[in-house]
Amino acid sequence: MSQADSIPTRAGQYPNDHCPLCGGDNQCANSAAGDAAAGPPCWCKSVQIPEAVLDCLPEQARGVACICATCAKQAAPTTVPGVHQIVDQGQRPALQLAANGQRVLISLTGAQVLSWHTEHGDVLWTASEPKYEAGKPVRGGVPLVFPWFGDHRSNQELPAHGFARSVDWQRVDQQVSQVTLQTSDTEATRKLWNHAFRAELTVALGETLGITMTVTNTGDDTFSFEQALHTYFAAGDVHEASVHGLENVTFLEHAREPEGEWDHTAALRFRAETDRVFQDVPDELSLHAKTLGRTVTLHTSNSRSTIVWNPWPTKTARLSQMQADDWRSFCCIESANVGDHAITLAPGTSHEMSLTLRSSQDDP
Ligand code: TA6
């Protein structure tokens, strides 16, 4: 699929409220006027934009989209091979990584990895009725969890799984087929969690998909946080899927209608609502999606918790963006630090948790 094909746009138009290179506000006179036809010619039509910058534009944006002043003045390309600024299915600013015939789509909203396409399809999973809305996570891909996991301990009004998945992140670095996004505390986040922090997410595509989450305490007080890469995996038929590596590992079951007895010494199978928080986990797990003929290995560093989740039909009915049968085709295996393994950071210190995913097809 060419780069141009992967840009979901309305016929003959291109979303003109964000710079197609950095995702920032492009200060476009036309979009400010609300109608390109009626508005004044955009300022960017009056400047000579370096060829090297134009070459980085997605094909469908050329001659149509307006570039922001910062990018227009940069002589050097603001992207590198294997990194493309595009929009996601909801016209939200996104980045696409490309390497080895694979593609990864990352939304700047929540720094959410939305998909990881290989020659055998998307290794990640997206709900059947996804919503791509400003300031909200899509159900699927890899929504981030920070700075708390699940419901807030003392205030149920606060967003479950924290706010990192809902705020805008900015691109701060790119290498070949790799990008780093960043967000930090704002007045709004301090109302929810009164600490100064910087969070970075680096996504790297090669033979594997690497996701690294780095949190830095930029304030004067020590704080603790929980985190997770809340990864939704395509499972084929979840009844035939299994998770390996958590045998005999301590866990707490949070499902309302869990499986009764099961063999803790065997690989984890899905036979009922499953919502298990495992602690002191090994750094290598695997998902065997039998009906997809696929094995995905998860290798982590600095992740001491893993949550394995499938809502089964009853809970699926209560979840947004889902169709009734969606539970049959995914499972979440979440690389995390939660509960007793929450992270405590002194001022000026950082913590880095990483996940490396490798997808392979089973021998025929
Ligand atoms: O990680 C498991 C879990 O906490 C489940 O209890 C369920 O509430 C799920 O997360 C919700 O995930 P979401 O993507 O809706 O934030």
Side-chain angles (χ1 to χ4, degrees):
M1 177 189 288
S2 77
Q3 160 68 30
D5 297 345
S6 67
I7 302 171
T9 59
R10 294 180 292 283
Q13 295 185 29
Y14 195 89
N16 215 21
D17 47 3
H18 284 89
C19 172
L21 290 176
C22 70
D25 178 356
N26 59 9
Q27 303 103 27
C28 166
N30 294 348
S31 63
D35 173 354
C42 182
W43 65 270
C44 74
K45 304 302 181 201
S46 62
V47 296
Q48 184 62 36
I49 293 173
E51 276 306 310
V53 174
L54 293 178
D55 286 350
C56 294
L57 276 179
E59 202 153 323
Q60 288 190 359
R62 290 178 193 161
V64 178
C66 295
I67 295 173
C68 77
T70 308
C71 290
K73 291 173 189 138
Q74 284 190 0
T78 58
T79 61
V80 294
V83 179
H84 304 281
Q85 176 79 39
I86 66 170
V87 291
D88 68 15
Q89 292 85 324
Q91 316 300 324
R92 306 179 310 173
L95 291 164
Q96 180 171 270
L97 304 184
N100 308 326
Q102 304 182 58
R103 296 187 326 278
V104 168
L105 185 61
I106 310 159
S107 169
L108 294 185
T109 300
Q112 184 174 3
V113 174
L114 294 173
S115 59
W116 172 24
H117 284 277
T118 73
E119 61 179 310
H120 302 291
D122 192 353
V123 178
L124 306 179
W125 180 88
T126 303
S128 296
E129 296 175 357
K131 295 205 176 351
Y132 298 85
E133 298 173 349
K136 293 184 180 174
V138 178
R139 185 178 298 285
V142 187
L144 300 181
V145 174
F146 174 84
W148 60 82
F149 180 85
D151 293 334
H152 188 275
R153 297 290 182 279
S154 56
N155 181 350
Q156 303 278 313
E157 297 297 309
L158 298 183
H161 289 331
F163 50 73
R165 55 174 52 192
S166 308
V167 297
D168 289 336
W169 291 57
Q170 291 76 37
R171 175 172 34 164
V172 293
D173 185 50
Q174 58 256 329
Q175 311 291 332
V176 175
S177 305
Q178 175 180 309
V179 68
T180 296
L181 302 179
Q182 177 183 296
T183 195
S184 51
D185 60 291
T186 63
E187 188 182 339
T189 65
R190 287 190 295 273
K191 284 179 182 158
L192 302 177
W193 190 65
N194 192 19
H195 298 291
F197 74 92
R198 180 176 63 249
E200 293 170 308
L201 194 84
T202 296
V203 184
L205 179 61
E207 290 300 315
T208 60
L209 173 60
I211 304 175
T212 299
M213 184 173 182
T214 306
V215 177
T216 300
N217 181 342
T218 55
D220 302 324
D221 62 328
T222 294
F223 63 57
S224 295
F225 65 90
E226 295 177 308
Q227 61 183 152
L229 300 173
H230 194 294
T231 310
Y232 285 75
F233 288 100
D237 177 354
V238 76
H239 298 93
E240 299 297 324
S242 51
V243 180
H244 303 256
L246 294 169
E247 297 80 353
N248 303 308
V249 174
T250 308
F251 73 94
L252 274 179
E253 175 68 80
H254 292 272
R256 273 194 207 170
E257 301 169 354
E259 185 180 2
E261 282 308 307
W262 56 284
D263 179 359
H264 299 189
T265 66
L268 186 152
R269 301 295 299 270
F270 297 93
R271 301 187 184 93
E273 180 190 350
T274 305
D275 194 349
R276 292 175 199 160
V277 179
F278 292 86
Q279 296 286 29
D280 302 310
V281 299
D283 57 15
E284 181 129 343
L285 303 176
S286 63
L287 164 66
H288 187 207
K290 184 178 175 187
T291 57
L292 298 177
R294 178 187 295 165
T295 296
V296 184
T297 57
L298 295 79
H299 187 86
T300 59
S301 69
N302 294 332
S303 162
R304 301 185 64 187
S305 314
T306 296
I307 298 92
V308 178
W309 176 57
N310 182 284
W312 231 239
T314 305
K315 181 158 185 175
T316 298
R318 302 197 296 268
L319 294 173
S320 62
Q321 306 183 43
M322 296 279 236
Q323 284 181 353
D325 271 0
D326 272 2
W327 60 276
R328 291 177 181 275
S329 56
F330 84 93
C331 65
C332 281
I333 306 173
E334 305 158 34
S335 312
N337 287 295
V338 301
D340 292 348
H341 290 311
I343 304 297
T344 297
L345 279 186
T349 65
S350 296
H351 176 273
E352 182 178 280
M353 175 179 78
S354 70
L355 167 66
T356 302
L357 298 175
R358 179 183 296 277
S359 179
S360 58
Q361 291 307 114
D362 300 341
D363 294 336

